[in-house]
Amino acid sequence: MKPDSYVAEFQAALDRTDPRASLSARLRPLLPRIHERINAGSPYSAILDDLEGAGLVVKRRMLESALYRWRKARIVQATTSPAPAPLRPTPTKALPSPDVQAVTGRPDRIETPADLRKIRDMKIDLDALRREGEASRKLKREQHAPHTKNPQQNQE
């Protein structure tokens, strides 16, 4: 794409948003395309210039912050949202443990006082819960830094 086409693409997306909305709200629909461009190697300065050409003046720090929040929400959504809902609700687990389920007796929804009693009577295996937490933290670390070849680079 030519630089002018990026500006036109941003302008078209901005035209679909409410001009009275906050800067963050107007930037939000553009974030997936901005993310693609950054992954393709476009510098932030070029993206900021294109945004400014489309009529949206954004500081680099705000763009970086908005991208961070968008990526984080996307990761959380990908790990917690199940596939399209089947006809019958099925119990879901965030990270299933092959050995033992950390919390047993957890209701799917809280709709009646009986569901609240189930929550009160839940059995919690703290060791399995710890393993689930470690696994989820490891998964998040791998998703946030897959591009680094040396794991010690993340610690410095």
Side-chain angles (χ1 to χ4, degrees), residues 3-117:
D4 293 335
S5 61
Y6 289 126
V7 173
E9 181 181 349
F10 288 154
Q11 184 63 46
L14 287 172
D15 289 342
R16 290 188 297 269
T17 62
D18 186 0
R20 299 169 295 180
S22 68
L23 189 60
S24 298
R26 296 187 72 208
L27 182 63
R28 208 169 291 127
L30 305 174
L31 292 176
R33 184 65 179 128
I34 292 171
H35 176 73
E36 289 175 10
R37 286 188 59 193
I38 289 173
N39 283 345
S42 292
Y44 278 93
S45 58
I47 294 169
L48 291 170
D49 290 342
D50 293 343
L51 286 171
E52 188 174 339
L56 192 66
V57 179
V58 180
K59 293 184 180 177
R60 180 184 173 125
R61 182 71 185 133
M62 182 181 181
L63 177 62
E64 289 173 346
S65 178
L67 274 170
Y68 172 79
R69 288 190 311 268
W70 178 78
R71 289 171 179 151
K72 184 176 177 182
R74 202 174 89 184
I75 289 171
V76 169
Q77 182 182 23
T79 58
T80 59
S81 66
L87 296 176
R88 286 181 274 136
T90 57
T92 59
K93 294 183 253 179
L95 289 173
S97 173
D99 306 329
V100 178
Q101 185 179 1
V103 180
T104 56
R106 177 178 22 198
D108 292 339
R109 296 182 186 188
I110 301 173
E111 296 176 346
T112 65
D115 294 335
L116 292 173
R117 284 191 291 278

